[in-house]
Amino acid sequence: NITFETVDGTKVGETTAKTGATGAGDESWYFTLGTDFQIPEGYKLVWNDEFNEGSELNSTDWRHEVQKSGWVNNELQNYVNGSADGKRVTEIADNRLYINCFKGSNGKIYSGRVYAHETQGWLYGIFEARIRLPKGKGTWPAFWMMPCNNDFVANPWPKCGEIDIMEEVGVNPNYTSSSLHTEKFNHVMGTQITKERLTAGAEDGFHVYRLEWTPDYIKTYVDGKELLNFNNDGKNDVGSWPFNKPFYVILNLAWGGDWGGMKGVDESALPVQMEVDYVRVFQKK
């Protein structure tokens, strides 16, 4: 048996086989940095980032969005790629990704929004991230997905589809939600598919947010407990199910906006951080 230990010597798991990043060998387990995780039955690991190398995101896997405040949802942050006042909006440290939101010396708010494998994405699979959420009225962290290479003129939002695996607003702390947006089901019409639940301690510790996406249904989970369940009606109706093409992963921390700032913002909370332990993508064998 192989025993894995943390840096303080705490035992965290035992097994008779050790596998690599591709899931070779005994595909039921994958190990990294003393932490073991079980690959879902019938699936294989196709991509992951454990944020355990370097101090910045790998530009081969990730792209930073660059947009001024007000770009979407009347949000107040400026998304940049790099730093302001010498502070980066994203950084890797302690085997985690930190998305930083802060006020610059010029009075502007800066934050990060990053895309994983934006041009190719993935069609169906299990998408999982372990995240600690920030605190403060005005915060709006999210783990979500949008369609790859979409022409927003020919196929505008919400017709193109959107999958929100996890969202939370600091004004309603620790209540995390999952939502789907389509032409027939979206928040503009008040018909979006949304489920929300108290995730006790979401702002104080890490929790696992998961999407299971197949041709027949979309389900989300928090710490293994099902939250949202939406079935494909089987009628090939793009108005209700545009989820038949590759989507890419997004992580961002917004400030204010239509939802995050629905009761104003508290700048005394700044700076804040969204901490991501890992992002993993599994697809069926």
Side-chain angles (χ1 to χ4, degrees):
N1 284 354
I2 300 170
T3 301
F4 292 82
E5 298 182 350
T6 62
V7 292
D8 64 1
T10 304
K11 293 183 179 181
V12 295
E14 284 191 355
T15 186
T16 56
K18 181 178 180 181
T19 67
T22 60
D26 177 3
E27 290 193 341
S28 63
W29 292 95
Y30 168 85
F31 298 92
T32 180
L33 293 174
T35 302
D36 53 349
F37 66 85
Q38 189 170 12
I39 293 178
E41 184 177 357
Y43 283 77
K44 61 182 178 180
L45 181 71
V46 296
W47 180 80
N48 66 314
D49 199 334
E50 306 296 319
F51 307 116
N52 55 14
E53 296 183 0
S55 60
E56 299 179 16
L57 285 170
N58 182 344
S59 60
T60 301
D61 291 329
W62 298 91
R63 182 181 75 84
H64 285 77
E65 182 64 85
V66 177
Q67 295 289 346
K68 294 182 179 180
S69 61
W71 172 50
V72 290
N73 304 316
N74 297 306
E75 295 164 14
L76 303 177
Q77 79 288 332
N78 293 266
Y79 285 131
V80 296
N81 177 13
S83 60
D85 291 351
K87 184 176 179 63
R88 293 192 58 82
V89 295
T90 63
E91 57 186 340
I92 293 174
D94 306 318
N95 301 316
R96 296 173 187 169
L97 167 66
Y98 293 87
I99 301 180
N100 300 310
C101 180
F102 55 92
K103 189 173 184 177
S105 58
N106 58 6
K108 295 182 179 181
I109 307 298
Y110 295 94
S111 191
R113 171 167 164 157
V114 292
Y115 306 145
H117 288 260
E118 179 183 12
T119 57
Q120 68 268 35
W122 300 272
L123 175 61
Y124 310 130
I126 289 175
F127 303 79
E128 183 177 282
R130 185 170 179 261
I131 303 172
R132 176 156 56 191
L133 304 180
K135 296 181 180 181
K137 185 171 73 172
T139 57
W140 183 357
F143 167 41
W144 54 301
M145 302 183 73
M146 287 291 287
C148 299
N149 307 307
N150 185 62
D151 182 343
F152 285 96
V153 175
N155 190 37
W157 186 94
K159 183 179 179 181
C160 64
E162 175 180 327
I163 303 173
D164 298 325
I165 306 169
M166 183 285 302
E167 291 182 281
E168 187 242 26
V169 290
V171 71
N172 193 22
N174 299 312
Y175 279 85
T176 62
S177 65
S178 297
S179 300
L180 300 177
H181 299 279
T182 73
E183 186 176 29
K184 290 186 176 180
F185 305 111
N186 61 80
H187 74 264
V188 175
M189 297 170 57
T191 56
Q192 79 274 13
I193 308 299
T194 296
K195 292 290 184 180
E196 182 183 71
R197 185 168 64 220
L198 174 64
T199 301
E203 295 182 349
D204 294 308
F206 286 91
H207 294 264
V208 177
Y209 303 94
R210 171 183 279 197
L211 164 71
E212 183 180 357
W213 171 26
T214 79
D216 302 312
Y217 62 82
I218 285 176
K219 296 181 181 180
T220 68
Y221 302 81
V222 180
D223 296 330
K225 184 177 179 181
E226 184 180 299
L227 178 59
L228 179 148
N229 187 340
F230 181 66
N231 291 322
N232 185 355
D233 59 15
K235 298 178 181 178
N236 296 316
D237 180 6
V238 70
S240 60
W241 188 271
F243 308 115
N244 57 358
K245 52 186 175 290
F247 277 56
Y248 61 93
V249 166
I250 305 172
L251 293 166
N252 74 283
L253 174 51
W255 179 252
D258 297 337
W259 192 25
M262 62 182 175
K263 294 184 179 180
V265 300
D266 178 10
E267 289 193 355
S268 69
L270 296 172
V272 293
Q273 292 180 319
M274 175 182 177
E275 300 178 45
V276 187
D277 185 27
Y278 61 75
V279 179
R280 298 168 182 159
V281 180
F282 307 92
Q283 288 187 313
K284 289 187 176 180
K285 297 178 182 178

